[in-house]
mmCIF file of all heavy atoms in Angstrom:
data_model
loop_
_atom_site.group_PDB
_atom_site.id
_atom_site.type_symbol
_atom_site.label_atom_id
_atom_site.label_comp_id
_atom_site.label_asym_id
_atom_site.label_seq_id
_atom_site.Cartn_x
_atom_site.Cartn_y
_atom_site.Cartn_z
ATOM 1 N N THR A 417 144.556 111.260 61.013
ATOM 2 C CA THR A 417 145.900 111.332 61.569
ATOM 3 C C THR A 417 146.746 112.309 60.764
ATOM 4 O O THR A 417 146.811 112.204 59.537
ATOM 5 C CB THR A 417 146.577 109.951 61.566
ATOM 6 O OG1 THR A 417 145.755 109.014 62.274
ATOM 7 C CG2 THR A 417 147.945 110.013 62.219
ATOM 8 N N VAL A 418 147.375 113.248 61.428
ATOM 9 C CA VAL A 418 148.265 114.212 60.769
ATOM 10 C C VAL A 418 149.688 113.653 60.811
ATOM 11 O O VAL A 418 150.183 113.307 61.890
ATOM 12 C CB VAL A 418 148.218 115.587 61.469
ATOM 13 C CG1 VAL A 418 149.171 116.565 60.792
ATOM 14 C CG2 VAL A 418 146.792 116.134 61.466
ATOM 15 N N PRO A 419 150.363 113.557 59.656
ATOM 16 C CA PRO A 419 151.739 113.030 59.647
ATOM 17 C C PRO A 419 152.658 113.837 60.566
ATOM 18 O O PRO A 419 152.497 115.053 60.722
ATOM 19 C CB PRO A 419 152.167 113.180 58.183
ATOM 20 C CG PRO A 419 150.886 113.251 57.407
ATOM 21 C CD PRO A 419 149.888 113.923 58.321
ATOM 22 N N ALA A 420 153.632 113.161 61.145
ATOM 23 C CA ALA A 420 154.511 113.789 62.140
ATOM 24 C C ALA A 420 155.257 114.994 61.582
ATOM 25 O O ALA A 420 155.446 115.992 62.293
ATOM 26 C CB ALA A 420 155.496 112.755 62.678
ATOM 27 N N ASP A 421 155.696 114.924 60.298
ATOM 28 C CA ASP A 421 156.473 116.030 59.752
ATOM 29 C C ASP A 421 155.619 117.280 59.543
ATOM 30 O O ASP A 421 156.151 118.394 59.480
ATOM 31 C CB ASP A 421 157.140 115.620 58.437
ATOM 32 C CG ASP A 421 156.131 115.222 57.359
ATOM 33 O OD1 ASP A 421 155.034 114.752 57.715
ATOM 34 O OD2 ASP A 421 156.438 115.381 56.166
ATOM 35 N N VAL A 422 154.308 117.101 59.440
ATOM 36 C CA VAL A 422 153.378 118.231 59.356
ATOM 37 C C VAL A 422 152.937 118.654 60.756
ATOM 38 O O VAL A 422 152.807 119.838 61.066
ATOM 39 C CB VAL A 422 152.157 117.881 58.491
ATOM 40 C CG1 VAL A 422 151.110 118.996 58.540
ATOM 41 C CG2 VAL A 422 152.579 117.609 57.056
ATOM 42 N N ALA A 423 152.720 117.664 61.610
ATOM 43 C CA ALA A 423 152.179 117.929 62.945
ATOM 44 C C ALA A 423 153.093 118.812 63.787
ATOM 45 O O ALA A 423 152.620 119.705 64.504
ATOM 46 C CB ALA A 423 151.912 116.609 63.671
ATOM 47 N N ALA A 424 154.412 118.594 63.703
ATOM 48 C CA ALA A 424 155.336 119.342 64.553
ATOM 49 C C ALA A 424 155.272 120.852 64.299
ATOM 50 O O ALA A 424 155.034 121.625 65.238
ATOM 51 C CB ALA A 424 156.757 118.818 64.371
ATOM 52 N N PRO A 425 155.447 121.332 63.052
ATOM 53 C CA PRO A 425 155.361 122.781 62.842
ATOM 54 C C PRO A 425 153.940 123.320 62.978
ATOM 55 O O PRO A 425 153.762 124.469 63.394
ATOM 56 C CB PRO A 425 155.889 122.967 61.410
ATOM 57 C CG PRO A 425 155.666 121.653 60.744
ATOM 58 C CD PRO A 425 155.864 120.622 61.823
ATOM 59 N N ALA A 426 152.941 122.511 62.647
ATOM 60 C CA ALA A 426 151.559 122.972 62.804
ATOM 61 C C ALA A 426 151.230 123.205 64.272
ATOM 62 O O ALA A 426 150.548 124.173 64.630
ATOM 63 C CB ALA A 426 150.586 121.955 62.201
ATOM 64 N N THR A 427 151.751 122.347 65.140
ATOM 65 C CA THR A 427 151.527 122.511 66.574
ATOM 66 C C THR A 427 152.216 123.766 67.091
ATOM 67 O O THR A 427 151.684 124.471 67.959
ATOM 68 C CB THR A 427 152.030 121.269 67.334
ATOM 69 O OG1 THR A 427 151.352 120.110 66.839
ATOM 70 C CG2 THR A 427 151.776 121.400 68.830
ATOM 71 N N VAL A 428 153.374 124.084 66.535
ATOM 72 C CA VAL A 428 154.068 125.322 66.912
ATOM 73 C C VAL A 428 153.184 126.532 66.602
ATOM 74 O O VAL A 428 153.037 127.451 67.420
ATOM 75 C CB VAL A 428 155.414 125.438 66.170
ATOM 76 C CG1 VAL A 428 156.006 126.834 66.338
ATOM 77 C CG2 VAL A 428 156.399 124.392 66.680
ATOM 78 N N ALA A 429 152.582 126.539 65.406
ATOM 79 C CA ALA A 429 151.720 127.657 65.016
ATOM 80 C C ALA A 429 150.497 127.747 65.918
ATOM 81 O O ALA A 429 150.055 128.849 66.284
ATOM 82 C CB ALA A 429 151.289 127.498 63.554
ATOM 83 N N LEU A 430 149.957 126.606 66.303
ATOM 84 C CA LEU A 430 148.802 126.603 67.209
ATOM 85 C C LEU A 430 149.200 127.077 68.603
ATOM 86 O O LEU A 430 148.444 127.802 69.267
ATOM 87 C CB LEU A 430 148.196 125.201 67.275
ATOM 88 C CG LEU A 430 147.374 124.776 66.056
ATOM 89 C CD1 LEU A 430 147.090 123.269 66.112
ATOM 90 C CD2 LEU A 430 146.057 125.543 66.008
ATOM 91 N N GLU A 431 150.368 126.688 69.057
ATOM 92 C CA GLU A 431 150.825 127.119 70.381
ATOM 93 C C GLU A 431 151.027 128.634 70.419
ATOM 94 O O GLU A 431 150.762 129.278 71.443
ATOM 95 C CB GLU A 431 152.108 126.377 70.755
ATOM 96 C CG GLU A 431 151.875 124.911 71.107
ATOM 97 C CD GLU A 431 153.164 124.138 71.303
ATOM 98 O OE1 GLU A 431 154.229 124.668 70.920
ATOM 99 O OE2 GLU A 431 153.116 123.009 71.833
ATOM 100 N N ARG A 432 151.502 129.199 69.319
ATOM 101 C CA ARG A 432 151.611 130.665 69.259
ATOM 102 C C ARG A 432 150.234 131.303 69.395
ATOM 103 O O ARG A 432 150.081 132.344 70.035
ATOM 104 C CB ARG A 432 152.274 131.078 67.953
ATOM 105 C CG ARG A 432 153.748 130.732 67.853
ATOM 106 C CD ARG A 432 154.311 131.015 66.476
ATOM 107 N NE ARG A 432 155.716 130.601 66.380
ATOM 108 C CZ ARG A 432 156.288 130.139 65.285
ATOM 109 N NH1 ARG A 432 155.586 130.041 64.159
ATOM 110 N NH2 ARG A 432 157.550 129.791 65.290
ATOM 111 N N MET A 433 149.246 130.685 68.766
ATOM 112 C CA MET A 433 147.889 131.214 68.865
ATOM 113 C C MET A 433 147.359 131.122 70.296
ATOM 114 O O MET A 433 146.656 132.019 70.770
ATOM 115 C CB MET A 433 146.953 130.463 67.922
ATOM 116 C CG MET A 433 145.534 131.036 67.901
ATOM 117 S SD MET A 433 144.364 130.011 66.999
ATOM 118 C CE MET A 433 144.192 128.654 68.140
ATOM 119 N N LEU A 434 147.678 130.039 70.968
ATOM 120 C CA LEU A 434 147.211 129.869 72.342
ATOM 121 C C LEU A 434 147.669 131.010 73.238
ATOM 122 O O LEU A 434 146.992 131.356 74.198
ATOM 123 C CB LEU A 434 147.722 128.535 72.903
ATOM 124 C CG LEU A 434 147.053 127.276 72.379
ATOM 125 C CD1 LEU A 434 147.818 126.042 72.836
ATOM 126 C CD2 LEU A 434 145.612 127.203 72.853
ATOM 127 N N ALA A 435 148.803 131.596 72.899
ATOM 128 C CA ALA A 435 149.334 132.700 73.703
ATOM 129 C C ALA A 435 148.727 134.034 73.314
ATOM 130 O O ALA A 435 148.914 135.035 74.006
ATOM 131 C CB ALA A 435 150.855 132.761 73.567
ATOM 132 N N ALA A 436 147.975 134.067 72.205
ATOM 133 C CA ALA A 436 147.346 135.309 71.749
ATOM 134 C C ALA A 436 145.927 135.375 72.315
ATOM 135 O O ALA A 436 145.052 134.654 71.876
ATOM 136 C CB ALA A 436 147.319 135.358 70.227
ATOM 137 N N LYS A 437 145.709 136.231 73.306
ATOM 138 C CA LYS A 437 144.415 136.293 73.979
ATOM 139 C C LYS A 437 143.436 137.140 73.197
ATOM 140 O O LYS A 437 143.789 138.236 72.715
ATOM 141 C CB LYS A 437 144.577 136.875 75.388
ATOM 142 C CG LYS A 437 145.570 136.106 76.256
ATOM 143 C CD LYS A 437 145.167 134.640 76.416
ATOM 144 C CE LYS A 437 146.150 133.886 77.299
ATOM 145 N NZ LYS A 437 145.826 132.460 77.412
#
Side-chain angles (χ1 to χ4, degrees):
T417 304
V418 179
D421 61 332
V422 173
T427 302
V428 169
L430 285 168
E431 287 173 347
R432 290 173 183 147
M433 184 189 72
L434 286 170
K437 303 301 181 183

